[in-house]
Amino acid sequence: DTSILGVESHPLHLHGYNFFVVDQGFRNFDPNKDPAKFNLVDPVERNTVSVPSSGWAAIRFLADNPGV
């Protein structure tokens, strides 16, 4: 969401899936530092997450729905 110039959070939704929100943050995602903070033990399960304005959200899901 760092490329969207707005003051509101941006919703992210995956049709046909629930997913786990393992982390969220402000600023650009840092692949060297941010993954160390991921909650892989008991993350919250959702079907929609608000990505913070000027921020990011990391989700985890199993892509096992082939659709119709």
Side-chain angles (χ1 to χ4, degrees), residues 2-3 5 8-9 20-22 25 28 45 52-53 65:
T2 54
S3 65
L5 299 175
E8 297 180 7
S9 297
F20 297 96
V21 181
V22 296
N28 288 328
E45 185 175 4
S53 181
N65 183 353

Side-chain angles (χ1 to χ4, degrees), residues 22-38:
V22 296
D23 201 5
Q24 292 177 279
F26 296 98
R27 73 192 163 12
N28 288 328
F29 178 79
D30 184 341
N32 297 313
K33 295 180 182 177
D34 291 324
K37 301 182 303 177
F38 284 2

Side-chain angles (χ1 to χ4, degrees), residues 2-18:
T2 54
S3 65
I4 297 175
L5 299 175
V7 295
E8 297 180 7
S9 297
H10 182 79
L12 174 95
H13 174 73
L14 291 177
H15 291 268
Y17 291 99
N18 281 351

